[in-house]
């Protein structure tokens, strides 16, 4: 089975802190994604990556950056956390060559910024 | 991408079939219908997808109307663990590119004991 793991299920940070969210997948997938999910707004794409060191902005990249130094790992960075970044963060991966949108999601990280 | 419309909520008795409808009247010929679900406090889970033929896997069946303007996800014997938000997504498949999915508000299915 494909497994996507995220470093923390719950995280509490203070305003202005630098926050790292880590995501690891074990199926050698080329594509990886970071979403945030908020009530009433559904899932919104922050950034995605289609290869090592490659990244593209999604719909709401402001206030975030990403890093993909290894194929299996995709990190989301909040340079200076703010209260409006309190959310559920979901990582996903999928094969790059397959003609499919079958994405595999991690369990999510619920981040609270106080 | 075509817009989808789903009822906001549905109930189903445990052990009965759950039939979740999705309307996608503006779907184009090269758009697939995908279904995901999200159990509370977990990440979304892929269920099934199809283009125009009915599809079945170990989790569910997908029935797509002949004109492709609507579809129904069927969970043949719903259990309490099937309580989740179910998302219907219509998407063109573009090979080789990291295309994202757009999740709407979905249908909250509650399976009742």
């Amino acid at each position: 089975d494909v497994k996507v793991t995220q470093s923390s299920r719950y995280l509490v940070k203070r305003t202005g802190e630098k926050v790292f969210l880590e995501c690891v997948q074990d199926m050698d997938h080329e594509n990886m994604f970071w979403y945030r999910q908020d009530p009433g707004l559904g899932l919104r794409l922050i950034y995605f990556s289609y290869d090592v060191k490659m990244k593209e902005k999604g719909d709401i990249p402001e206030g975030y950056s990403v890093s993909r130094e290894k194929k299996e790992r995709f990190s989301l960075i909040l340079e200076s956390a703010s209260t409006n970044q309190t959310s559920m963060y979901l990582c996903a991966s999928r094969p790059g060559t397959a003609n499919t949108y079958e994405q595999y999601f991690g369990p999510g990280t619920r981040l609270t910024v106080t | 991408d075509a817009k989808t419309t789903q009822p906001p909520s549905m109930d189903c008795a445990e052990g009965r079939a759950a039939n979740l409808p999705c309307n996608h009247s503006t779907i184009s010929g090269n758009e697939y219908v995908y279904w995901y679900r999200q159990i509370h406090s977990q990440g979304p889970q892929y269920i099934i997808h199809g283009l125009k033929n009915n599809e079945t896997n170990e989790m569910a069946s997908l029935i797509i109307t002949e004109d492709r303007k609507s579809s129904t996800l069927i969970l043949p014997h719903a259990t309490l663990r099937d309580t989740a938000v179910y998302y219907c997504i219509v998407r063109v498949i573009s090979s080789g590119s990291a295309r994202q999915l757009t999740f709407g508000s979905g249908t909250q299915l509650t399976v009742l004991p």
Side-chain angles (χ1 to χ4, degrees):
Chain A
D1 281 351
V2 176
K3 194 156 186 183
V4 179
T5 56
Q6 295 183 230
S7 49
S8 305
R9 289 301 307 272
Y10 299 94
L11 207 53
V12 179
K13 295 292 182 180
R14 293 192 180 275
T15 301
E17 278 193 84
K18 190 169 186 176
V19 182
F20 292 87
L21 302 182
E22 302 282 337
C23 175
V24 177
Q25 50 94 5
D26 65 359
M27 282 302 292
D28 203 36
H29 287 170
E30 287 78 10
N31 299 332
M32 296 187 75
F33 307 81
W34 274 107
Y35 295 87
R36 64 177 282 178
Q37 184 173 31
D38 301 288
L41 297 176
L43 270 75
R44 293 180 290 168
L45 182 69
I46 304 171
Y47 267 97
F48 63 95
S49 168
Y50 51 89
D51 203 350
V52 175
K53 297 191 186 294
M54 306 303 288
K55 61 185 179 184
E56 285 197 30
K57 294 180 180 179
D59 300 320
I60 51 163
E62 297 77 20
Y64 303 94
S65 62
V66 290
S67 172
R68 189 141 181 230
E69 297 297 318
K70 293 185 179 181
K71 192 174 186 180
E72 67 271 19
R73 189 179 298 270
F74 191 35
S75 303
L76 180 69
I77 303 152
L78 287 66
E79 295 290 342
S80 177
S82 63
T83 54
N84 63 11
Q85 292 178 311
T86 291
S87 186
M88 168 72 93
Y89 290 87
L90 291 158
C91 175
S93 73
R94 67 173 272 254
T97 53
N99 289 336
T100 177
Y101 285 102
E102 186 175 339
Q103 290 190 5
Y104 299 88
F105 283 83
T109 295
R110 187 165 293 282
L111 172 68
T112 302
V113 183
T114 61
Chain B
D1 300 325
K3 181 179 165 55
T4 62
T5 304
Q6 297 178 256
S9 64
M10 291 181 65
D11 292 340
C12 175
E14 188 177 19
R16 304 298 293 268
N19 296 282
L20 293 101
C22 180
N23 182 286
H24 31 78
S25 57
T26 60
I27 193 170
S28 59
N30 60 348
E31 289 184 307
Y32 284 70
V33 180
Y34 275 77
W35 283 85
Y36 278 74
R37 73 179 182 184
Q38 188 171 20
I39 296 169
H40 183 62
S41 295
Q42 296 184 23
Q45 177 188 23
Y46 164 82
I47 301 173
I48 199 167
H49 74 279
L51 182 62
K52 51 185 175 182
N53 296 323
N54 297 338
E55 302 287 345
T56 295
N57 63 19
E58 64 278 4
M59 287 183 69
S61 295
L62 174 60
I63 308 298
I64 302 174
T65 58
E66 195 168 339
D67 63 7
R68 303 210 322 122
K69 293 182 184 299
S70 66
S71 61
T72 301
L73 179 75
I74 301 171
L75 309 178
H77 305 286
T79 71
L80 299 179
R81 288 179 294 180
D82 291 322
T83 292
V85 178
Y86 287 77
Y87 297 97
C88 170
I89 302 162
V90 172
R91 201 68 169 86
V92 175
I93 288 184
S94 175
S95 62
S97 65
R99 305 290 298 189
Q100 70 270 26
L101 292 168
T102 302
F103 287 74
S105 51
T107 296
Q108 170 67 58
L109 174 69
T110 302
V111 180
L112 303 171

